[in-house]
């Protein structure tokens, strides 16, 4: 990206100080993830922004696999397969445990033209055969999830079974190492699948948006997004099932069990005392597969878990839905209203175009609507269903290491990098095989303890939204559509470094409301959200959709018009401002704020 413009400034990444007591945090991450002196001249002249959408908290050492493999896959598809003309892949660096990213642009016109030929041929094949290819993709992902489910983490016994001596069964040390390699390979394959269609989904939308802007320059980005809203997306099915269960609870008279503040365990205990309650719980069990494979966050941290691991979000939603039904309110997602508005905008804007342009407008709009569901649905299969199951599979290796004293608890496995886990397994298997005394039981626990303390301390630090040079222009379509990192937004971040009562962001969903803020920094705090509050967070996830019946607006630190927060808010007809850069650090829970989702502003009223 091009360097500085006179609109403001960001700190140099080399001048960001380490919080007191956090010295040595660098050991948790690979050498290439750090800002080092060898790359200083180049890295200081680049624009790096905090990817709080995907990594809002400092990364545990093992979880960093979701950075490396994700950006390997993204870069492969964007740069090496589809050859997106203006952009290659994404570089990342780590500052105090937080992840900053920067796009690699293509600036040579001849190279852009060369890449365009590849892109048109390859992307055109996908667009022309989208339904067939997407159906094959879903089959492939379901098979990958099944393979993961079938993978077992072997145990180590005093003696090998007789099948090793008298049959063809492999020895345990081979089986354990093979299982670990396989589980890592499955993650690589998942990330490969994750990005196969995603960039094309954004690309179709960007192409449609560019046509709109070229011919109707006064059209707001929000209206462009609304023209592809209200479609049938799989990710809204879990919330639909919860609404059905809420109605069933009232119909069968078990709704008194659902009281604000009660834990899922307390609710289940009361339901288990009656025939009607047990019948309701049986219906809930039918819903759980696959719909409770929703993650409590984006799935990229080991501790998020799914609704199966932590049912706080669905139970908070059930309580909210039941309360709304008792009050005579409509709990259904306003799909009909959204669809009507979608068609109204498309017809009115289309009528302003000449016949030839109207034809292109209709064709590109139809393509955007065709590919849009994948933009959200891939998350259910990849980030939610696969990853939450995958983290639990890694816990199996934590169990193995803990059983032999290398770790104190299975969860400690996530404080080691994936290469360190391999090293620990190597030593465990070596000393198990030889009968020797391992060093691991005294070597790894102090490292784990220190890293846990580092992560706690680093979580109290507030990262700057960006570091490095202020770019003259942001051209990468992925940065623009997903993260909302536009040229205007970055310049606004630079100007707003001093703070103030008003935050500006991307107007993601129309409407104007005033209310009390609820700042949510972790998925565990979702259960604290109360009726009528305004959600303020780094980014929302589609997995949070069930709480959208409670809130009256949403504000995020990061995100564009096609971010998950923007999409979900439009589907629930809630005002939203995304990409403010610093809402979670400037706004406090209980503070009254005004959200103007049409203008893209958030005003702190007290």
């Amino acid at each position: 990206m091009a360097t500085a413009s006179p609109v403001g400034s960001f700190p140099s990444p080399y001048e960001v100080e380490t919080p007191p007591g956090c010295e040595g945090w660098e050991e948790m991450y690979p050498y290439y993830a750090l800002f080092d002196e060898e790359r200083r001249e180049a890295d200081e002249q680049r624009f790096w922004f905090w990817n709080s959408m995907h990594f809002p908290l400092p990364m545990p050492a093992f979880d960093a696999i979701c950075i490396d493999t994700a950006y390997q896959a993204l870069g492969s598809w964007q740069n090496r397969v589809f050859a997106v003309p203006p952009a290659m892949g994404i570089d990342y660096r780590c500052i105090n445990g937080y992840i900053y990213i920067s796009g690699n642009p293509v600036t040579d016109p001849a190279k852009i033209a060369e890449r365009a030929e590849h892109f048109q041929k390859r992307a055109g094949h996908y667009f022309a055969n989208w339904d067939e290819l997407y159906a094959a993709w879903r089959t492939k992902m379901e098979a990958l999830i099944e393979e993961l489910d079938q993978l077992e983490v072997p145990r180590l016994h005093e003696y090998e079974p007789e099948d090793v001596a008298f049959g063809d069964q492999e020895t345990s040390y081979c089986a354990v190492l093979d299982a670990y390699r396989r589980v890592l390979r499955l993650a690589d394959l998942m990330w490969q699948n994750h990005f196969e269609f995603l960039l094309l989904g954004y690309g179709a939308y960007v192409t449609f948006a560019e046509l709109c802007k070229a011919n109707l320059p006064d059209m707001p980005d929000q209206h462009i997004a609304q023209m592809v809203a209200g479609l049938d997306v799989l990710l809204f099915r879990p919330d639909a099932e919860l609404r059905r269960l809420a109605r069933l609870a009232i119909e069968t008279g078990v709704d008194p069990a659902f009281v604000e503040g009660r834990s899922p365990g307390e609710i289940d205990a009361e339901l288990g005392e009656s025939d009607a309650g047990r019948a309701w719980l049986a219906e809930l069990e039918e819903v759980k597969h696959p719909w409770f494979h929703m993650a409590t966050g984006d799935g990229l941290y080991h501790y998020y878990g799914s609704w199966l691991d932590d049912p706080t979000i669905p139970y908070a939603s059930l309580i909210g839905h039941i309360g709304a039904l008792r009050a005579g309110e409509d709990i259904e997602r306003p799909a009909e209203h959204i669809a009507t508005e979608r068609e109204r905008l498309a017809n009115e804007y289309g009528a302003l175009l000449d016949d030839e342009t109207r034809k292109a407008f209709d064709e590109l709009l139809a393509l955007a609507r065709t590919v849009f569901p994948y933009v959200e649905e891939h998350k259910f299969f990849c980030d939610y269903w696969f990853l939450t199951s995958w983290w639990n599979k890694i816990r199996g290796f934590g169990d193995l290491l803990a059983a032999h004293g290398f770790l104190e608890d299975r969860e400690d496995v996530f404080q080691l990098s994936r290469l360190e886990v391999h090293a620990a397994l190597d030593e465990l298997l070596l000393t198990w095989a030889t009968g020797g005394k391992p060093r691991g039981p005294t070597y790894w626990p102090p490292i784990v303890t220190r890293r846990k303390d580092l992560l706690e301390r680093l979580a109290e630090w507030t990262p700057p939204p960006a570091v490095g040079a202020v770019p003259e222009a942001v051209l990468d379509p992925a940065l623009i559509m997903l993260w909302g990192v536009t040229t205007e937004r970055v310049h606004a971040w630079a100007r707003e470094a001093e703070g103030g009562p008003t935050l500006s962001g991307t107007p993601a969903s129309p409407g104007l409301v005033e209310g009390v803020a609820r700042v949510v920094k972790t998925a565990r705090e979702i259960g604290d959200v109360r009726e009528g509050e305004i959600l303020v967070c780094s980014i929302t996830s589609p997995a949070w959709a069930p709480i959208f019946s409670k809130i009256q607006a949403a504000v995020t630190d990061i995100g564009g018009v096609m971010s998950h927060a923007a999409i979900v808010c439009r589907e629930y007809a809630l005002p939203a401002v995304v990409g403010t850069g610093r809402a979670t650090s400037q706004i406090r829970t209980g503070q009254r704020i005004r959200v103007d989702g049409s203008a893209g502003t958030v005003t702190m009223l007290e």
Side-chain angles (χ1 to χ4, degrees), residues 267-346:
I267 293 172
D268 286 353
E270 181 172 331
L271 292 172
E273 294 175 355
S274 68
D275 290 341
R278 288 189 290 271
W280 187 93
L281 289 172
E283 188 67 23
L284 174 65
E285 287 301 313
E286 291 294 318
V287 169
K288 284 183 177 180
H289 187 81
W291 308 119
F292 268 42
H293 285 286
M294 291 287 281
T296 57
D298 248 4
L300 305 181
Y301 290 82
H302 72 270
Y303 46 74
Y304 278 151
S306 69
W307 289 2
L308 292 171
D309 301 310
D310 180 4
T312 300
I313 291 177
Y315 273 73
S317 174
L318 285 165
I319 291 170
H321 287 329
I322 289 171
L325 287 169
R326 286 173 179 159
E329 298 174 8
D330 182 9
I331 65 170
E332 292 303 313
R333 187 165 58 91
E336 184 176 344
H337 166 75
I338 294 168
T340 299
E341 185 67 5
R342 176 186 71 208
E343 298 308 321
R344 182 187 70 80
L345 289 170

Side-chain angles (χ1 to χ4, degrees), residues 328-406:
E329 298 174 8
D330 182 9
I331 65 170
E332 292 303 313
R333 187 165 58 91
E336 184 176 344
H337 166 75
I338 294 168
T340 299
E341 185 67 5
R342 176 186 71 208
E343 298 308 321
R344 182 187 70 80
L345 289 170
N347 290 332
E348 290 182 2
Y349 280 120
L352 300 176
L353 304 171
D354 60 60
D355 291 344
E356 184 177 350
T357 307
R358 175 65 186 266
K359 181 181 178 183
F361 174 90
D362 290 340
E363 290 176 352
L364 287 173
L365 176 57
L367 177 61
R369 289 177 176 178
T370 297
V371 304
F372 170 75
Y374 174 82
V375 172
E376 288 298 283
E377 290 184 1
H378 81 280
K379 293 191 69 64
F380 180 74
F381 291 101
C382 297
D383 301 45
Y384 300 162
W385 194 347
F386 180 93
L387 271 181
T388 55
S389 299
W390 188 79
W391 292 122
N392 285 335
K393 199 65 67 173
I394 296 298
R395 287 182 171 89
F397 295 97
D399 285 328
L400 184 61
L401 290 168
H404 294 268
F406 280 59

Side-chain angles (χ1 to χ4, degrees), residues 153-157 172-173 176-177 396-407 420-441 444:
V153 180
R155 294 285 159 254
L156 299 176
H157 303 286
S172 294
Y173 91 88
V176 170
L177 290 177
F397 295 97
D399 285 328
L400 184 61
L401 290 168
H404 294 268
F406 280 59
L407 302 173
E420 289 173 330
V421 170
H422 199 297
L425 290 172
D426 267 337
E427 194 210 2
L428 167 60
L429 295 167
L430 173 65
T431 53
W432 170 81
T434 65
K437 182 179 180 180
R439 186 186 175 198
W444 293 113

